[in-house]
């Protein structure tokens, strides 16, 4: 097996174009498992670990945060928690300290597992993924258009994920996940919520609840339109929101849980995160008054 180790982004794109048979690897926490179990035997590995710019973030002139694909979960928690609280909450639930040190957000996007924990908060916050090829340059893909099927994304064979872009927190964000214990579990299901009070807008993200991570559009629209943003959360509105989140799911029965359990649990997570987020929103509104 060949081992390619570019030291710059340009070299990485050139290598990707020349060797479409090379499997990109960053932290290796998904790839090495597959190699160890002989689930994959690629002709070459394209190691992105030496491409320094992938491990950095910056604020663009319009205020958007641009976070390199190689930023590991541990640094999302310590360095970006104030600006990306939904993603940081999800990052805290990933694996173990070792996995959080090595595993990257870009690797989660590359693997595109419906259970990946980075997807729901990125969907809820309206993140955009920056991918690039040597031949065609940069392509910006809204998170909701990135996922193509179970463990499949819309990346072209000559493209690499460079970064994700997200507006820093503009309101309360929450992530919640169900598993049989607190650490080292794949989500039975997960849910992320983002409120954008200034725009009266709502974002959601569902994990482990369909072939791909997805948003609950009807729930978002209902809450944005029907909630009284200047009042405490109405119980009937919260209940209807939870119902619409449940309805957006198309889960399966598997070893981790039944479809029915997942639907039920999603409704609970939706209601719970909405209650937390709405309380924060009202506290913020009262503090400004
Ligand atoms: C013990 C254990 C526990 C885990 N727990 C969790 C968990 O709780 N939640 C969770 O979501 N995941 C979990 N994972 C899975 C894994 O840690 C995550 O998916 C992680 O984000 C992968 O990142 P990585 O950098 O290690 O990816 P890698 O293994 O290096 O790559 C993963 C995939 O992405 C592709 N890829 C990587 N970088 C790029 C790029 N820049 N451009 C294009 N393609 C790219 C690779 O080709 C591969 O297909 C766990 C894994 C293990 C082994």
């Amino acid at each position: 097996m060949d081992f390619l180790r570019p030291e710059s982004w340009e070299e990485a794109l050139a290598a990707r174009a020349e060797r479409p048979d090379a499997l990109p690897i960053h932290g290796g926490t998904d790839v090495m498992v597959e190699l160890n179990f002989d689930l994959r035997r690629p002709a070459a590995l394209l190691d992105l670990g030496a491409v320094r710019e992938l491990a950095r973030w910056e604020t663009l002139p319009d205020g958007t945060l641009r976070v390199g694909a190689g930023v590991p979960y541990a640094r999302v928690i310590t360095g970006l928690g104030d600006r990306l609280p939904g993603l940081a909450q999800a990052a805290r639930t990933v694996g173990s300290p070792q996995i959080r040190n090595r595993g990257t957000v870009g690797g989660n996007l590359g693997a595109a597992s419906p259970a990946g924990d980075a997807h729901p908060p990125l969907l809820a916050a309206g993140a955009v993924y920056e991918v690039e090829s040597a031949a065609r340059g940069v392509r910006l893909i809204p998170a909701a258009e990135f996922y193509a099927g179970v463990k499949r994304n819309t990346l072209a064979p000559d493209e690499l994920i460079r970064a994700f872009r997200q507006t820093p927190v503009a309101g309360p964000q929450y992530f919640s996940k169900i598993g049989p214990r607190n650490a080292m579990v794949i989500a039975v299901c997960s849910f992320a919520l983002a409120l954008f009070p200034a725009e009266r807008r709502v974002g959601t993200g569902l994990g482990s609840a369909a072939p791909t991570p997805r948003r609950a559009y009807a729930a978002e629209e209902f809450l944005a339109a029907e909630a009284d943003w200047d009042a405490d959360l109405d119980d009937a509105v919260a209940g209807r929101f939870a119902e619409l989140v449940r309805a957006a799911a198309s889960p399966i029965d598997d070893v981790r849980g039944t479809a029915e359990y997942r639907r039920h649990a999603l409704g609970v997570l939706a209601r719970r995160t909405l209650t937390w987020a709405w309380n924060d929103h009202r506290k913020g509104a009262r503090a400004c008054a």
Side-chain angles (χ1 to χ4, degrees):
M1 186 187 293
D2 295 332
F3 189 72
L4 313 173
R5 193 168 161 82
E7 292 190 357
S8 70
W9 180 246
E10 290 67 32
E11 280 176 31
L13 289 182
R16 181 74 162 148
E18 276 161 32
R19 292 291 304 264
D21 58 342
L23 181 67
I25 177 168
H26 207 120
T29 60
D30 278 317
V31 169
M32 292 312 296
V33 173
E34 292 178 352
L35 297 189
N36 286 341
F37 282 96
D38 224 3
L39 300 174
R40 265 197 213 221
R41 197 51 48 190
L45 286 177
L46 174 58
D47 178 14
L48 300 170
V51 181
R52 293 228 187 99
E53 71 148 272
L54 291 180
R56 297 192 195 119
W57 60 79
E58 62 177 328
T59 304
L60 299 177
D62 68 354
T64 306
L65 258 180
R66 178 171 179 266
V67 182
V71 173
Y73 296 107
R75 290 188 59 225
V76 170
I77 298 165
T78 54
L80 292 168
D82 55 340
R83 284 163 287 172
L84 308 178
L87 184 63
Q89 284 169 30
R92 280 189 206 102
T93 75
V94 171
S96 59
Q98 293 87 342
I99 298 295
R100 292 194 287 275
N101 281 332
R102 286 231 37 107
T104 65
V105 176
N108 216 238
L109 302 184
S113 161
D117 287 320
H119 313 303
L122 290 168
L123 281 165
V128 171
Y129 304 153
E130 182 181 329
V131 307
E132 189 170 348
S133 66
R136 295 177 309 285
V138 171
R139 202 157 64 96
L140 295 177
I141 310 174
E145 294 168 24
F146 182 72
Y147 307 100
V150 178
K151 298 192 176 179
R152 283 194 301 113
N153 58 40
T154 51
L155 210 61
D158 62 346
E159 284 177 327
L160 289 170
I161 304 163
R162 184 169 189 168
F164 67 90
R165 300 180 184 194
Q166 188 177 315
T167 309
V169 64
Q173 297 183 352
Y174 280 99
F175 170 84
S176 201
K177 159 176 166 181
I178 290 202
R181 57 185 184 185
N182 279 339
M184 298 289 281
V185 283
I186 302 175
V188 175
C189 65
S190 62
F191 181 72
L193 176 70
L195 298 182
F196 304 87
E199 302 163 50
R200 300 286 199 253
R201 196 161 59 77
V202 176
T204 59
L206 277 63
S208 277
T212 64
R214 60 166 65 157
R215 284 169 59 176
Y217 289 108
E220 293 176 7
E221 281 158 26
F222 165 78
L223 187 64
E226 298 303 325
D228 179 351
W229 289 77
D230 299 316
D232 289 343
L233 184 61
D234 181 81
D235 202 48
V237 168
R240 180 68 186 142
F241 176 72
E243 258 173 46
L244 289 169
V245 168
R246 270 201 305 267
S250 46
I252 53 167
D253 294 326
D254 69 10
V255 287
R256 284 178 281 130
T258 63
E260 199 36 49
Y261 174 72
R262 285 188 158 101
R263 266 197 210 92
H264 168 76
L266 271 173
V268 173
L269 295 183
R271 204 181 174 112
R272 190 177 292 164
T273 50
L274 175 58
T275 305
W276 293 334
W278 206 268
N279 285 344
D280 288 358
H281 157 57
R282 292 296 298 146
K283 235 184 274 164
R286 277 193 289 268
C288 292

